[in-house]
Amino acid sequence: MADALLFAPEIACLLAGLALFFCPVFEASYRTTWGLALFAALVTTAACIWSLPLEGEPFAPGIYRVDFFSQLLKAVLALGFLLVVILSRTPQTLERSSWVEFPMFLLFSTLGMMMMISATELLTLYVSMELAAYPIYIAVALHRNQQLAGEGATKYMVQGMAASAISLYGMSFLFGVFGSTYFGDIALRFDAVSGQPIFWFGLLLALAGFLFKLSAFPFHFWAPDTYQSASHPLVTFIATASKVAAIALLCRLISLAMPFDAWDAQGPAIQSALMWMSIVAMTLGNLAALAQKDLKRLLGYSAVAHAGYTLIGVQTFSTLGLSAALFYALAYFAMSFICFLVVCVVGRDEDQVPIASMAGLYQRSPLLALTLLLGLFGLIGLPPTVGFTGKWFLFSAALERGQFYLVLVAAINSAVALYYYLLVIRQAYMEEPSSNAPLQVGPLLRATAVATMALTLIMGTFPDYFWDMAERAAAALVG
């Protein structure tokens, strides 16, 4: 019974996923399926919040860990699923025959991500990673435009499988070095093997799958193409929940290499590798975004740049850096969702969303224009949004390590990003709309927009509570 309580969020996801699986079998309408998905999301979110104080290891010891770190991130994943379900009330960009199946794929992917976050054994982690990935591969192919769907799904799946294979190869090195797949055994024997380059090589390869999900260099090529070609609600899920899971996994794996008694042996080598990945991701993402005409593609390259910002905290190999990375995961979740909410509403009837489609948004819907403005201000890193506070924490962690030049590069990249984000804002507020028809925003979507805007401002203005949660999560992870 105790194990079942520790596994409550996953059980809720699994049972709800099975219920959604039978919806197309019994030819349920999409309205019924959507209502069931919304109820499942609420129950799963409640289960995650209820389980926040729980700690323990269900099943066999050393395989699966429940603590504040895992349960906090699971709550964010469940919230992400809930928000995407709200956006999917009428998913026009999906193939009509696939509407009933779509929530099931999202829920099973959420289940896989939850299991990834709690996994403390390499094979369990790998299986969970695949469970999270395959439903998304399928869902990308469900776009109503089959030409777009085929191209986007193929690129995403092939590159995802390649990254997964590299991760598995790296895990085999870790098993060869430690003789065990348990994270606990790896931590205990760290001092004995930390001087062996093969360990750091294996760890770097094992990070590949997580860097892919984060769309960090050099596993970022899928992001702009998939963002552009996948249906709008699905891209929202990839840009929010999937990123949170990737950051959480990176933090868990990096925490294995944090016994600082052995730092002087090979630690600087992998730190340098991650630092250069961060620099290239920030620079490449921002420069490529300058040339984009499609808004989703622009946000795809923006995701690459923000993966670089997140790596600033991860590569410090410090508790402060992990706390900053986790805080930024929460921040990016909110900022990215806000932007994609506008994309889903403005482009609900269009397969692609060019930047020009935002022209005159302020006249068509002042609420959506304000929502987009706050989201983009957050991604730029302007106060009082959480983007400013999140970058402040990341830069502080890097400066604590004496990495002034890394912070300088990140600041320059933020200035570059200012240009292309302001181009979108200019379209929304200063250009004349091609159509004077007002955009219809339902009460549920309106409430969601207001709530997420408030969250973005509260996290930026009063970050203490959220920072304390990130610190608690990092402390549980390192401990």
Side-chain angles (χ1 to χ4, degrees):
M1 183 62 182
D3 285 356
L5 292 178
L6 293 174
F7 205 60
E10 291 86 341
I11 291 176
C13 259
L14 179 60
L15 294 179
L18 292 175
L20 290 173
F21 174 80
F22 284 104
C23 285
V25 174
F26 292 105
E27 300 181 348
S29 66
Y30 180 68
R31 183 175 181 178
T32 301
T33 305
W34 182 83
L36 181 60
L38 185 62
F39 177 74
L42 292 170
V43 170
T44 304
T45 305
C48 292
I49 295 173
W50 172 82
S51 66
L52 278 175
L54 300 182
E55 291 186 8
E57 293 184 317
F59 319 119
I63 292 179
Y64 205 79
R65 177 71 185 168
V66 171
D67 52 24
F68 186 78
F69 166 80
S70 65
Q71 303 312 97
L72 173 65
L73 274 300
K74 288 176 190 176
V76 178
L77 293 178
L79 178 62
F81 174 66
L82 171 62
L83 294 175
V84 173
V85 168
I86 292 173
L87 290 184
S88 305
R89 183 65 184 89
T90 53
Q92 299 289 351
T93 50
L94 276 174
E95 185 180 353
R96 187 66 179 85
S97 61
S98 303
W99 283 21
V100 177
E101 301 168 356
F102 182 65
M104 176 193 68
F105 290 127
L106 294 187
L107 191 53
F108 278 124
S109 180
T110 303
L111 173 62
M113 293 178 193
M114 288 184 176
M115 295 179 66
M116 282 163 49
I117 291 173
S118 278
T120 53
E121 190 265 341
L122 290 176
L123 293 180
T124 306
L125 175 60
Y126 182 77
V127 172
S128 303
M129 189 166 66
E130 295 303 286
L131 174 60
Y134 277 89
I136 301 300
Y137 295 156
I138 297 171
V140 171
L142 299 182
H143 197 289
R144 66 182 181 184
N145 185 323
Q146 287 303 299
Q147 183 177 357
L148 280 176
E151 180 182 355
T154 301
K155 289 180 178 179
Y156 188 38
M157 182 174 64
V158 170
Q159 294 179 45
M161 289 180 172
S164 175
I166 294 172
S167 280
L168 190 60
Y169 188 49
M171 291 176 187
S172 70
F173 278 106
L174 295 180
F175 175 71
V177 170
F178 291 100
S180 174
T181 58
Y182 290 84
F183 289 3
D185 293 340
I186 292 174
L188 287 174
R189 301 175 191 174
F190 184 90
D191 286 340
V193 303
S194 59
Q196 300 181 24
I198 193 173
F199 161 68
W200 297 99
F201 181 66
L203 180 62
L204 197 59
L205 289 180
L207 292 174
F210 316 136
L211 292 172
F212 171 82
K213 290 184 177 298
L214 191 58
S215 61
F217 176 86
F219 302 99
H220 66 282
F221 296 102
W222 64 273
D225 293 325
T226 303
Y227 273 49
Q228 184 180 20
S229 59
S231 62
H232 305 334
L234 179 61
V235 175
T236 306
F237 184 77
I238 295 172
T240 52
S242 181
K243 294 294 184 288
V244 170
I247 294 170
L249 285 172
L250 272 175
C251 290
R252 184 178 287 282
L253 204 55
I254 287 297
S255 69
L256 298 178
M258 284 179 57
F260 289 104
D261 292 340
W263 178 259
D264 292 334
Q266 296 291 335
I270 192 170
Q271 183 189 34
S272 296
L274 292 173
M275 182 185 70
W276 282 107
M277 286 181 185
S278 171
I279 291 172
V280 176
M282 288 186 291
T283 306
L284 177 66
N286 284 318
L287 291 180
L290 291 172
Q292 303 309 311
K293 303 299 182 184
D294 184 273
L295 182 55
K296 290 202 296 179
R297 193 173 181 85
L298 181 147
L299 291 173
Y301 277 114
S302 171
V304 176
H306 283 275
Y309 295 132
T310 305
L311 287 176
I312 293 175
V314 173
Q315 61 84 42
T316 62
F317 282 72
S318 67
T319 305
L320 177 61
L322 293 185
S323 301
L326 291 173
F327 182 88
Y328 201 73
L330 304 179
Y332 185 75
F333 173 89
M335 298 182 298
S336 184
F337 176 79
I338 283 177
C339 294
F340 277 100
L341 183 149
V342 177
V343 168
C344 288
V345 177
V346 175
R348 60 164 58 112
D349 295 321
E350 302 296 331
D351 292 339
Q352 299 186 15
V353 185
I355 296 174
S357 66
M358 296 294 141
L361 182 61
Y362 175 72
Q363 299 178 38
R364 301 182 66 195
S365 174
L367 175 64
L368 289 180
L370 179 61
T371 303
L372 181 64
L373 179 70
L374 280 179
L376 294 178
F377 272 10
L379 293 176
I380 293 169
L382 296 179
T385 65
V386 68
F388 172 79
T389 311
K391 286 181 180 176
W392 178 276
F393 289 139
L394 289 173
F395 295 171
S396 298
L399 289 173
E400 186 188 54
R401 283 285 182 194
Q403 297 175 319
F404 170 77
Y405 291 107
L406 176 60
V407 174
L408 180 61
V409 170
I412 293 172
N413 271 284
S414 296
V416 172
L418 181 65
Y419 174 77
Y420 63 79
Y421 287 130
L422 287 180
L423 287 180
V424 181
I425 295 172
R426 180 178 179 274
Q427 287 285 335
Y429 280 89
M430 301 183 67
E431 296 293 332
E432 290 297 322
S434 57
S435 170
N436 291 322
L439 287 169
Q440 299 298 322
V441 183
L444 188 57
L445 270 181
R446 188 179 295 271
T448 302
V450 171
T452 48
M453 280 193 292
L455 179 63
T456 303
L457 292 174
I458 291 171
M459 288 181 67
T461 311
F462 305 101
D464 292 354
Y465 175 73
F466 300 95
W467 175 252
D468 288 343
M469 287 198 298
E471 282 191 316
R472 284 181 61 192
L477 180 62
V478 175

